[in-house]
């Protein structure tokens, strides 16, 4: 048996309770990971509230989309990976537990300089940012890039990677403390959205790529800020999913509009994305150039407090559960 943080019913952070569950069995292409740390992400909050159900075949009441730990069992068809390897992995659910079964092709062996705590905060944000900003958004060196909510997990990842790969980084934050934080990550242009309108500040500059998780009133502002051939990528809609689009403006600017979710994508897609991360981002991790900013570490037994902090938005970087 193992400990797992279970969503006992839809509701607030208090519905997260530690329960005993069976240790997962593994298939031929899976490994069993003894979890040492798990990342906390906003989709976990949505799932807890009953708004983001797990995909078919994935444990429905144990949240958690990214883990780091040690391989303790290996399926018969696995290759290139062995018992004792320290790994991080993107998973579709079940990460808030002492053990999790993972397809071996989604595991990334940790460099010696990377702790479990740091590693646990990487997969979900790295996979999301790399696919959306660099594959779908085609961001290249010298372009202007805007990420909203730069001090969060996705934001801190996007700022670092865009800056390291030569983009001019713009971001919005909600406090003066967060301004200092995102500056250190590599953002050059910062607006406190509580004090002024980012559209007014950056009007006429021409942003090439925008990564947005807000939606609502931000949508039109984003469209107005985009340059010709600009790319707007939507990964959430926290302020509202229903928006109006001026098609004439889109045609005149030749705007590319796209969006995606990661959790329900195919295993083959995630395998290819894992390879892209290993090729393009892992070298930056190995040299210490890219790091995970850690906001706070909680015991898995205090997962409810971790969710309270996530919902408060009063943090910088990633929130981690330790096992």
């Amino acid at each position: 048996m193992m400990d797992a943080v279970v969503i006992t019913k839809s509701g607030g952070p208090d519905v997260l309770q530690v329960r005993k569950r069976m240790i997962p069995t593994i298939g031929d292409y899976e490994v069993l990971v003894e979890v040492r740390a798990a990342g906390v992400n906003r989709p976990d909050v949505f799932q807890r509230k009953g708004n983001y159900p797990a995909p078919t075949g994935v444990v429905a009441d144990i949240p958690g989309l990214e883990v780091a730990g040690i391989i303790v069992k290996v399926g018969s068809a696995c290759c290139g990976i062995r018992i004792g390897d320290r790994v991080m992995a993107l998973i579709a659910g079940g990460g808030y537990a002492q053990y999790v079964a993972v397809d071996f092709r989604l595991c990334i062996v940790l460099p010696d300089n990377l702790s479990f705590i740091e590693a646990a905060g990487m997969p979900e944000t790295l996979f999301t940012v790399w696919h959306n900003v660099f594959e779908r958004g085609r961001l290249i060196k010298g372009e202007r890039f805007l990420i909203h909510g730069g001090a969060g997990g996705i934001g801190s990842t996007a700022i670092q990677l865009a800056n390291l790969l030569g983009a001019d980084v713009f971001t919005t934050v909600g406090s003066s403390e967060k301004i200092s934080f995102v500056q250190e990550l590599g953002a050059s242009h910062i607006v406190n959205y509580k004090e002024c309108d980012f559209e007014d500040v950056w009007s006429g500059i021409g942003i090439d790529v925008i990564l947005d998780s807000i939606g609502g009133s931000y949508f039109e502002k984003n469209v107005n800020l985009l340059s010709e051939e600009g790319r707007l990528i939507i990964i959430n809609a926290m302020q509202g999913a229903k928006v109006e689009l001026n098609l004439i403006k889109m045609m005149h600017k030749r705007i590319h509009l796209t969006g995606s979710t990661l959790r329900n994508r195919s295993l083959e897609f995630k395998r290819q994305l894992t390879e892209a991360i290993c090729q393009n981002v892992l070298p930056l991790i190995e040299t210490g150039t890219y790091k995970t900013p850690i906001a706070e570490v909680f015991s898995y037994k205090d997962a409810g407090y971790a969710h309270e902090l996530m919902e408060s938005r009063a943090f910088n970087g990633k929130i981690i559960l330790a096992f």
Side-chain angles (χ1 to χ4, degrees):
M1 300 292 286
M2 67 174 184
D3 281 357
V5 179
V6 174
I7 302 171
T8 56
K9 60 181 179 180
S10 298
D14 60 301
V15 306
L16 296 174
Q17 300 292 326
V18 176
R19 296 286 188 266
K20 291 294 184 182
R21 287 292 177 86
M22 294 296 295
I23 295 174
T25 57
I26 60 171
D28 292 342
Y29 290 90
E30 291 181 318
V31 297
L32 184 66
V33 176
E34 181 185 337
V35 177
R36 297 298 180 86
V40 176
N41 294 282
R42 200 158 296 279
D44 303 340
V45 173
F46 299 151
Q47 181 174 345
R48 190 202 75 221
K49 292 180 175 180
N51 301 325
Y52 192 44
T56 302
V58 177
V59 59
D61 59 354
I62 303 176
L65 301 175
E66 56 185 353
V67 297
I70 299 175
I71 293 177
V72 295
K73 199 170 185 179
V74 177
S76 60
C78 298
C79 58
I81 204 160
R82 59 188 179 181
I83 292 174
D85 280 348
R86 301 167 64 249
V87 298
M88 60 182 171
L90 179 75
I91 55 179
Y96 290 14
Q98 290 179 313
Y99 294 89
V100 65
V102 184
D103 189 286
F104 84 96
R105 291 160 292 191
L106 303 185
C107 290
I108 299 175
V109 177
L110 304 185
D112 292 338
N113 66 327
L114 194 61
S115 70
F116 290 122
I117 295 296
E118 293 173 298
M122 288 187 174
E124 171 70 10
T125 55
L126 283 179
F127 280 59
T128 298
V129 169
W130 187 263
H131 175 59
N132 284 284
V133 176
F134 298 98
E135 294 183 346
R136 302 183 78 86
R138 306 184 308 281
L139 180 69
I140 60 174
K141 182 178 181 180
E143 288 191 314
R144 297 185 181 96
F145 169 65
L146 168 59
I147 167 69
H148 292 294
I154 293 290
S156 57
T157 297
I159 289 171
Q160 284 190 84
L161 290 182
N163 178 62
L164 289 170
L165 296 175
D168 189 16
V169 182
F170 295 65
T171 192
T172 58
V173 296
S175 71
S176 57
E177 176 192 1
K178 292 184 177 184
I179 289 176
S180 300
F181 176 73
V182 297
Q183 282 176 328
E184 292 177 1
L185 295 176
S188 300
H189 314 274
I190 307 158
V191 162
N192 183 338
Y193 61 81
K194 293 182 179 179
E195 296 180 349
C196 52
D197 189 320
F198 66 88
E199 182 186 2
D200 292 339
V201 175
W202 294 325
S203 178
I205 291 177
I207 306 294
D208 298 294
V209 178
I210 299 177
L211 182 65
D212 182 45
S213 60
I214 309 299
S217 65
Y218 276 44
F219 182 81
E220 184 177 7
K221 296 175 185 289
N222 289 333
V223 170
N224 291 339
L225 286 177
L226 283 170
S227 62
E228 292 184 355
E229 302 290 351
R231 286 87 77 195
L232 174 57
I233 308 109
I234 308 295
I235 58 170
N236 204 341
M238 294 171 59
Q239 197 187 86
K242 294 184 178 181
V243 298
E244 290 188 3
L245 171 62
N246 185 324
L247 295 176
I248 301 300
K249 186 178 295 183
M250 183 185 74
M251 291 187 290
H252 282 169
K253 286 189 173 184
R254 302 180 300 282
I255 287 172
H256 302 255
L257 174 62
T258 185
S260 73
T261 58
L262 183 59
R263 189 179 191 182
N264 62 351
R265 298 298 295 270
S266 70
L267 174 61
E268 177 59 24
F269 167 82
K270 292 178 181 178
R271 184 190 66 78
Q272 293 177 2
L273 192 50
T274 302
E275 291 181 356
I277 295 297
C278 289
Q279 179 179 346
N280 295 286
V281 183
L282 191 57
L284 300 175
I285 297 172
E286 291 172 337
T287 61
T289 308
Y290 173 87
K291 296 182 179 181
T292 302
I294 303 298
E296 193 160 346
V297 180
F298 294 86
S299 165
Y300 71 92
K301 296 178 181 179
D302 295 322
Y305 294 122
H307 274 224
E308 287 181 5
L309 180 59
M310 171 64 74
E311 291 188 90
S312 77
R313 304 181 71 175
F315 66 95
N316 299 330
K318 292 287 297 202
I319 301 170
I320 306 296
L321 298 180
F323 286 80

